[in-house]
Amino acid sequence: MARTPAGTPDHPKGTERFHEERAVTTVRGSDTPDLARGAEVIRDTVRTLPARPGVYRMQDARGDVLYVGKARVLRNRVANYVQWERLPGRLQRMVSQTRSMTIVTTNSEAEALLLEAQLIKRFRPPYNVLLRDDKSFPFILLRADHAFPRIMKHRGARRATGNYYGPFASVGSVNTTINALQKLFLLRSCTDSFFARRDRPCLLYQIKRCSAPCVGRIDAAGYRELVAEAREFLGGKSSAVQRRMEAQMAEAAEALDFERAAMLRDRLRAATFIQGSQAINAAGVANADVFAVAAKGGHVGIQAFFIRGGQNWGHRAFFPTHTEGLAEAEVLTAFLAQFYEEVPPARLILVDRDLPEADLLAEALATAAGGKVEVSVPQRGDRRRLIAQASRNAVEALDRRMAETGTKAKVWREMAEFLDLPEAPQRVEIYDNSHVQGAHALGAMVVAGPEGFIKNQYRKWNIRKAQTNDDYGMMREVFARRFARAQDEDPDRDGGQWPDLVLIDGGKGQMSAVKDALEELDIEDVPLIAIAKGPHHGREGREVFHFPDGREKMLPVNSPVLFHLQRLRDEVHRFAIGAHREKRSRAITASPLDEIPGIGPARKRALLLHFGTAGKVRAASLEDLQRAPGVSATVARAIYDFYHAGG
């Protein structure tokens, strides 16, 4: 997601901002590492480079990106790689694999820094520090596009009109805060359509978590006051809001309006809960992001705290990869550039050490923040105490990570031994089908590696050919489509998309179906294991593992390997059921109007509101269709012709 004037070269208007060109010389052929050949490519590229800021990409013989770098003067920076004997071993390996380069010039070094972060996230090069985190941060959104604004959790692109508060470190912290805010300010959380249909208050009003503006229990002016107080509270003026409520509660008590006094008391308790649930003391700091680094045994951990309005909105630990041989300050700089590619930066960024390009980073982030950004290393006071606490958390998080990684590695090795694999697999694919009596059938695949589930690799397939309620046929179809595509897209199996192990949720029948599907594709070397419920349908916690040669194995009930394999199976089961429910829900809400070309959600809604049902739309005359709001004469003719094609 680009929020800078730089954008990316692939943006429709990118040609106005960037000049991207292939290197004049491209050495093709063997991908065998060769320092001399790589240096020759770089040397020939340097001759064509301008003395301008920009970004360079180094690519191997296949065209895959090895490294993305930025430079204040491209010619000078790239020329350093020609003198490969002075480079550390890590960069020498990179030069030896380089066979071509792509150059992008920018208007400034700050733009180059932003573009570098965008391209690193896009290409995931093996020689760059990578922020491995596929979870976007949740925000609280107080919408402003309705007479009675809604408070809600938000993730993703910030397109809706309103005030965004965050980031929060987890969905749980957002949900807890929203629940408390509803008690505190009685703001609605329902959708606009639900709001419009109400003729009596819902349960949230009964439990004092909404003021029921949908049925007029509060007027627009009163609701605006609540919204204004919520904005003040979330904007850091919580003390003023509390003092005002305390005064109102005292006035209500003096007037013997005990019901209102009790309501205000409950709201004050909610405010105290929000402030008292903070994990760290953020006194003296209004809005800041706090980062500290810990390193041990070749691993690096970065702890982040998010302070907004003087309140801690959570913390999260990150473990960037490809950090070998780099100083901790370099790792943190690269991390921050990628981190703020998707998260709006705070105006104050506190770090635990001096960064080599702190001023450049602050200049680049100022564009996204809409104002000056300060990157600071605090030396004393409240800010220093925050850094000290973040540093302790970073060390503890890294220790836990290393302990977990060691345990996981042992489990993966033991799993490989139990399943007769030559080594621990790097990519495991797990498959399952989901349907109800054959209806809305689909197949699902989840992917796992030594570091956990790889959720951006999950896939699902709508079953097209298999007969109703034929589990084996569905499994054959899924595998035929999955591996036929793999053969087309990655026939050499060096793209990292072929599994080292396939787990099938099922027994002998599913195993036989999968074997048949792969044999038809002449694939015989993909390890297959089927996992099925054991004796008494698995009530003892045991599973039976079916091998392609007909063997069956079981594991002890308390085996860590058994727990791990069950977790893999349960994840695909969860994903398959969720995808099936989503498909079934779409089918339930489907309308015959969906089949008409050119009829989108807005026009479909307008037609249904005007005519009542899809059947009445079908029976309507051309003149009646033209009178419907939002329907032009051309669209009316298209609808009429769709239903009256035969005249």
Side-chain angles (χ1 to χ4, degrees):
M1 177 174 61
R3 293 182 305 276
T4 71
T8 66
D10 297 325
H11 189 275
K13 296 185 179 179
T15 54
E16 300 173 9
R17 301 163 180 157
F18 297 106
H19 175 60
E20 180 170 345
E21 55 187 15
R22 283 276 174 185
V24 173
T25 302
T26 299
V27 179
R28 302 185 184 280
S30 172
D31 59 355
T32 303
D34 188 327
L35 266 171
R37 178 173 290 181
E40 177 189 349
V41 171
I42 297 171
R43 188 178 296 109
D44 289 341
T45 303
V46 169
R47 296 191 186 105
T48 69
L49 291 181
R52 292 183 55 186
V55 174
Y56 56 92
R57 303 203 296 266
M58 295 182 170
Q59 290 124 188
D60 62 13
R62 286 164 45 97
D64 294 335
V65 178
L66 296 169
Y67 181 78
V68 176
K70 62 113 178 78
R72 184 167 57 86
V73 180
L74 280 167
R75 182 187 302 159
N76 299 346
R77 180 70 184 91
V78 177
N80 292 335
Y81 295 102
V82 176
Q83 301 174 346
W84 51 264
E85 64 277 356
R86 300 182 181 179
L87 299 175
R90 171 174 165 274
L91 294 184
Q92 286 186 7
R93 291 194 300 274
M94 180 186 73
V95 171
S96 71
Q97 295 174 263
T98 300
R99 296 295 179 268
S100 65
M101 293 185 67
T102 300
I103 307 300
V104 183
T105 59
T106 61
N107 295 320
S108 67
E109 190 180 7
E111 282 190 6
L113 177 64
L114 294 172
L115 179 59
E116 178 193 37
Q118 294 167 11
L119 295 177
I120 289 172
K121 291 182 75 70
R122 173 181 168 188
F123 292 110
R124 316 292 293 172
Y127 288 96
N128 284 99
V129 174
L130 297 182
L131 168 58
R132 291 200 56 173
D133 190 79
D134 58 355
K135 299 177 182 176
S136 61
F137 285 87
F139 287 75
I140 287 177
L141 168 59
L142 186 54
R143 299 193 65 153
D145 54 358
H146 194 280
F148 296 95
R150 170 191 179 194
I151 191 168
M152 59 185 289
K153 175 177 64 182
H154 178 83
R155 240 183 177 145
R158 301 196 293 168
R159 298 190 184 96
T161 304
N163 301 98
Y164 293 83
Y165 302 95
F168 286 79
S170 67
V171 173
S173 60
V174 170
N175 291 336
T176 300
T177 304
I178 286 181
N179 288 339
L181 288 171
Q182 285 179 286
K183 296 176 183 176
L184 176 55
F185 298 111
L186 307 178
L187 301 181
R188 74 179 184 94
S189 59
C190 58
T191 63
D192 291 348
S193 59
F194 184 86
F195 178 93
R197 293 197 307 266
R198 298 302 298 178
D199 55 10
R200 56 178 178 160
C202 67
L203 179 62
L204 289 177
Y205 175 77
Q206 306 298 334
I207 61 176
K208 299 181 180 179
R209 280 177 49 186
C210 181
S211 53
C214 53
V215 292
R217 297 298 171 92
I218 185 173
D219 60 17
Y223 195 84
R224 279 197 299 271
E225 284 185 30
L226 295 178
V227 171
E229 288 181 346
R231 289 198 180 105
E232 276 190 86
F233 188 90
L234 290 168
K237 299 179 181 178
S238 55
S239 298
V241 173
Q242 285 180 282
R243 286 195 299 270
R244 195 154 55 242
M245 281 194 289
E246 287 172 356
Q248 291 172 352
M249 183 176 68
E251 290 176 5
E254 288 179 7
L256 304 182
D257 188 351
F258 298 117
E259 184 177 352
R260 175 171 168 74
M263 183 266 291
L264 289 166
R265 178 203 61 200
D266 293 340
R267 291 178 62 191
L268 278 169
R269 286 177 180 172
T272 304
F273 170 80
I274 295 174
Q275 294 177 321
S277 62
Q278 310 306 323
I280 65 171
N281 179 16
V285 179
N287 296 286
D289 291 338
V290 184
F291 297 94
V293 183
K296 185 182 295 185
H299 299 273
V300 176
I302 298 175
Q303 184 73 44
F305 287 155
F306 308 112
I307 311 299
R308 298 294 184 272
Q311 303 171 24
N312 172 33
W313 283 359
H315 55 90
R316 187 186 291 185
F318 301 86
F319 304 96
T321 58
H322 304 171
T323 60
E324 301 82 1
L326 295 178
E328 294 167 23
E330 291 182 68
V331 173
L332 182 56
T333 301
F335 165 84
L336 290 174
Q338 295 178 51
F339 177 81
Y340 285 119
E341 180 59 25
E342 295 195 8
V343 176
R347 296 296 182 90
L348 175 62
I349 299 173
L350 304 178
V351 294
D352 65 338
R353 65 199 66 219
D354 291 319
L355 302 183
E357 297 180 320
D359 292 340
L360 176 62
L361 181 65
E363 180 187 349
L365 296 181
T367 305
K372 182 180 178 181
V373 171
E374 178 187 358
V375 180
S376 172
V377 183
Q379 303 298 322
R380 61 184 67 85
D382 293 328
R383 295 182 178 184
R384 184 62 197 172
R385 283 190 287 274
L386 273 176
I387 285 290
Q389 188 159 2
S391 297
R392 287 195 300 272
N393 277 266
V395 171
E396 293 169 1
L398 184 59
D399 288 341
R400 288 194 300 270
R401 171 79 168 193
M402 293 178 68
E404 291 171 1
T405 301
T407 303
K408 287 179 182 178
K410 180 182 178 183
V411 169
W412 279 74
R413 289 194 300 270
E414 292 177 353
M415 179 183 74
E417 182 179 349
F418 171 71
L419 298 178
D420 299 334
L421 301 176
E423 58 184 2
Q426 297 300 303
R427 179 185 174 95
V428 179
E429 294 181 357
I430 311 99
Y431 291 83
D432 189 19
N433 296 326
S434 184
H435 60 92
V436 175
Q437 297 296 316
H440 312 304
L442 56 79
M445 174 191 80
V446 304
V447 181
E451 295 187 3
F453 292 107
I454 310 173
K455 296 196 174 183
N456 61 0
Q457 297 287 318
Y458 287 15
R459 296 291 182 268
K460 54 190 176 184
W461 294 267
N462 289 319
I463 302 299
R464 302 170 182 164
K465 301 177 182 178
Q467 296 181 359
T468 301
N469 224 13
D470 180 5
D471 281 323
Y472 305 150
M474 293 177 187
M475 196 65 77
R476 274 193 297 270
E477 180 179 334
V478 167
F479 272 79
R481 290 163 61 184
R482 157 72 176 105
F483 285 92
R485 181 170 183 175
Q487 285 180 321
D488 291 339
E489 296 182 351
D490 189 15
D492 298 328
R493 303 193 185 187
D494 54 3
Q497 300 303 307
W498 281 74
D500 302 311
L501 172 66
V502 167
L503 284 179
I504 307 155
D505 184 16
K508 294 179 181 179
Q510 282 81 359
M511 171 63 78
S512 178
V514 170
K515 285 174 60 180
D516 291 345
L518 295 183
E519 285 174 2
E520 289 180 6
L521 297 170
D522 293 326
I523 298 173
E524 299 178 354
D525 55 348
V526 174
L528 304 173
I529 300 294
I531 175 172
K533 296 292 185 183
H536 311 293
H537 298 282
R539 285 195 294 271
E540 298 177 0
R542 305 185 70 183
E543 316 287 348
V544 176
F545 298 91
H546 299 271
F547 288 71
D549 58 8
R551 287 179 298 140
E552 298 179 2
K553 284 187 177 183
M554 297 182 71
L555 284 162
V557 175
N558 59 351
S559 166
V561 175
L562 176 60
F563 296 152
H564 179 61
L565 290 167
Q566 286 175 330
R567 182 166 175 253
L568 297 179
R569 188 271 318 277
D570 292 345
E571 173 66 5
V572 74
H573 197 53
R574 178 200 66 78
F575 180 63
I577 290 176
H580 171 73
R581 286 174 176 165
E582 182 182 349
K583 182 179 179 181
R584 192 174 62 204
S585 297
R586 286 199 305 268
I588 291 172
T589 58
S591 167
L593 300 179
D594 296 333
E595 301 174 6
I596 306 175
I599 299 299
R603 282 197 176 120
K604 183 177 77 172
R605 192 181 313 113
L607 287 167
L608 290 175
L609 286 173
H610 184 74
F611 289 101
T613 67
K616 291 182 179 179
V617 175
R618 177 174 186 149
S621 66
L622 179 60
E623 292 75 14
D624 289 338
L625 290 170
Q626 290 174 340
R627 283 194 289 269
V631 177
S632 65
T634 303
V635 173
R637 170 57 69 180
I639 298 170
Y640 186 82
D641 290 346
F642 180 82
Y643 285 124
H644 303 83

